[in-house]
Structure formats: structure tokens, C-alpha cells
Amino acid sequence: MKTAHKSTLLMLLLLFACGSTNPLDNLKKQFERYPEYSIVLEDMKEEGVFSKDYYHRYKVVYGERASSGDSLVFRSEVTDWYEVPKSTYKKYYPYLGMVILSKTADGKVTDTPQPPGYQYIGDSRYGRWRQDSSGNSFWEWYGKYALISHMFGMFNRPVYYNDWNTYSSYRSRGRPYFGGTTTGGPLYGTNGTATKKTRPDFFKRQSMRSAASKSSFTNKVKNRVRRSNMSRTRSRSRSFGK
């Protein structure tokens, strides 16, 4: 099985090396043979000041048929950084940490952004709904599929039925859902409270870029003022010399 994983990664590297402008197209082709998969926008970054380059990194969680029976064995892979066009970067900027491309058990592929792992919730193969002490229904994974929640970083955040039900409504209309029905604010995506906790490196880079940009702007203003003062000084000097 390890040989198969190495082969998968090698094929991914070869496909990306061919120069596709959208790595998601290559990932879609590479994983189309699997019954189910989810592609998460794991991280993103900008490099450069005046001429910027844009990058994405993805996590792919996919299920492959077990050697016996119809059950799936889930695995995950994190890609390297891949350069993307500015338009692609802007398109997916709101969806950090979310699934941006997925294939469900019915073979349907969708690019509607959704919270990580939600496509498996509500499926009786993977878990069931239970009630907490307050009477709220939450999703409980079966033991052998608890790894799914770990792969998607869901192990410390229960998913409540109200959130999942709202997600299902949004999904049926092709609209992205950011969570927060229960908490009153977005949980997922670049502005989500959960994302800010699970991806500190992204926000640290953003803060550093913002500080560098402000510093650069301040230096430009100072240089312009300095040049202007020097110009006025030279002008006055010429005037006194006549």
C-alpha cells in the first residue's frame, strides 16, 4: 500500500510540473478514480512587494476501497506549495481551511466551498446523531471513522444538527456555508474563528506583510517630504544668489 501512496504523490508532482495554471484541475484528474474525496485549501501566501506571486497548498482527504467489502479506508496527503494566478488566489481567498472541491458517494463532484468534513456528516455509514445534556443534537463518529474528524481538524469541535441542517440547505442551492448557526458567527473560512485558531502561520504572515507594507509606505512619504524640502532649499538658494 505504501508503494501505491508513493506512486500517487509522484504522479501529482509530474502533473503539476506540466504547468497547469490551476492545480485543482490536476488534483481533480488525479483523484477521480477514488469513490470519495475532499480537497481543502490548507494554506495560502503572497510573496514579493511590488511584483507579487501567489501560492496555494492543499490537503486531500480521500477514501479508497478496502481489500474486502464495500467500506472505505480514508487517507490524507498534503501537497507542496504551488503557484496560482492572482485571479485564482482572489477567488479562493475567503475559503482558507474549507473544502473547495469534493466528490461524494454518488459520484457528484462540486466546487461549492463547505466546512471540512461536513459531507460525511449525516451519513449513517460513518456515525449517528446524539443528544447532549442540554438536548442539542450533535454528530458522533463511529470509532473506526473517528480518524476522519482528525484529518479535517474537527476533533475538538462538535457539529450540531442545526449547523449541519443549514449547511445542507446552502449546499442544495450551491452556496458556500461558513458555519456559525449555533455560535452566531462564522467558524470556517478566512474570517472564521476556528480558522484563526488552527492556522496561526497564515495570520502571522499576513500581519508581517501588513506591517512591512505600512513601513514601506511611511518610508516613501518620508522620502518624498525630504526630496520636497531639498528642492525648496535649492530653489531658495538660487533665488538668493541672483
Side-chain angles (χ1 to χ4, degrees), residues 14 54 63 99 118 130 135-136 139 177 193 210 235-236:
L14 290 174
Y54 302 89
V99 173
Y118 268 50
R130 292 192 62 184
N136 299 310
W139 183 253
Y177 176 62
T193 55
S210 178
S235 178
R236 285 198 297 270

Side-chain angles (χ1 to χ4, degrees), residues 95-149:
Y95 309 120
L96 178 65
M98 297 180 69
V99 173
I100 55 177
L101 185 67
S102 63
K103 179 182 180 181
T104 51
D106 59 4
K108 182 179 180 181
V109 176
T110 177
D111 60 0
T112 300
Q114 58 184 291
Y118 268 50
Q119 77 183 65
Y120 302 105
I121 295 174
D123 190 325
S124 59
R125 293 178 300 169
Y126 304 119
R128 61 178 179 173
W129 293 106
R130 292 192 62 184
Q131 285 192 335
D132 61 19
S133 58
S134 300
N136 299 310
S137 294
F138 69 96
W139 183 253
E140 179 183 65
W141 298 91
Y142 294 142
K144 66 177 181 178
Y145 290 117
L147 182 62
I148 295 178
S149 68

Side-chain angles (χ1 to χ4, degrees), residues 34-201:
Y34 294 102
E36 298 183 51
Y37 65 74
S38 298
I39 299 176
V40 177
L41 179 54
E42 184 71 7
D43 204 350
M44 53 185 174
K45 65 180 179 179
E46 303 173 44
E47 291 187 349
V49 179
F50 302 109
S51 178
K52 294 183 180 180
D53 296 317
Y54 302 89
Y55 298 87
H56 277 177
R57 185 165 66 180
Y58 309 98
K59 173 185 278 190
V60 185
V61 178
Y62 59 98
E64 58 182 354
R65 296 291 181 193
S67 56
S68 60
D70 295 328
S71 62
L72 299 180
V73 177
F74 285 88
R75 309 186 187 282
S76 66
E77 306 284 356
V78 176
T79 71
D80 202 346
W81 287 103
Y82 296 106
E83 188 171 356
V84 297
K86 181 179 180 180
S87 57
T88 300
Y89 188 86
K90 285 189 170 183
K91 176 181 178 180
Y92 292 104
Y93 184 83
Y95 309 120
L96 178 65
M98 297 180 69
V99 173
I100 55 177
L101 185 67
S102 63
K103 179 182 180 181
T104 51
D106 59 4
K108 182 179 180 181
V109 176
T110 177
D111 60 0
T112 300
Q114 58 184 291
Y118 268 50
Q119 77 183 65
Y120 302 105
I121 295 174
D123 190 325
S124 59
R125 293 178 300 169
Y126 304 119
R128 61 178 179 173
W129 293 106
R130 292 192 62 184
Q131 285 192 335
D132 61 19
S133 58
S134 300
N136 299 310
S137 294
F138 69 96
W139 183 253
E140 179 183 65
W141 298 91
Y142 294 142
K144 66 177 181 178
Y145 290 117
L147 182 62
I148 295 178
S149 68
H150 180 76
M151 289 177 174
F152 287 111
M154 305 169 67
F155 49 87
N156 60 349
R157 294 187 304 276
V159 176
Y160 290 96
Y161 180 81
N162 287 341
D163 282 321
W164 178 80
N165 191 45
T166 303
Y167 149 76
S168 298
S169 176
Y170 273 60
R171 183 182 176 90
S172 66
R173 289 176 285 168
R175 295 175 56 191
Y177 176 62
F178 296 91
T181 300
T182 302
T183 61
L187 283 173
Y188 305 101
T190 308
N191 293 319
T193 55
T195 307
K196 291 177 181 178
K197 292 179 181 179
T198 58
R199 287 170 171 77
D201 289 347

Side-chain angles (χ1 to χ4, degrees), residues 3-40:
T3 301
H5 297 334
K6 291 181 180 179
S7 178
T8 297
L9 289 175
L10 178 59
M11 291 179 69
L12 275 173
L13 292 173
L14 290 174
L15 283 168
F16 283 118
C18 292
S20 171
T21 57
N22 187 353
L24 289 174
D25 292 337
N26 288 334
L27 287 170
K28 183 177 179 180
K29 293 176 182 177
Q30 178 61 37
F31 287 90
E32 64 182 356
R33 64 191 178 93
Y34 294 102
E36 298 183 51
Y37 65 74
S38 298
I39 299 176
V40 177

Side-chain angles (χ1 to χ4, degrees), residues 225-236 238:
V225 172
R226 188 181 300 112
R227 287 196 297 269
S228 178
N229 289 338
M230 291 176 63
S231 177
R232 286 198 294 268
T233 300
R234 287 195 296 268
S235 178
R236 285 198 297 270
R238 286 195 297 270

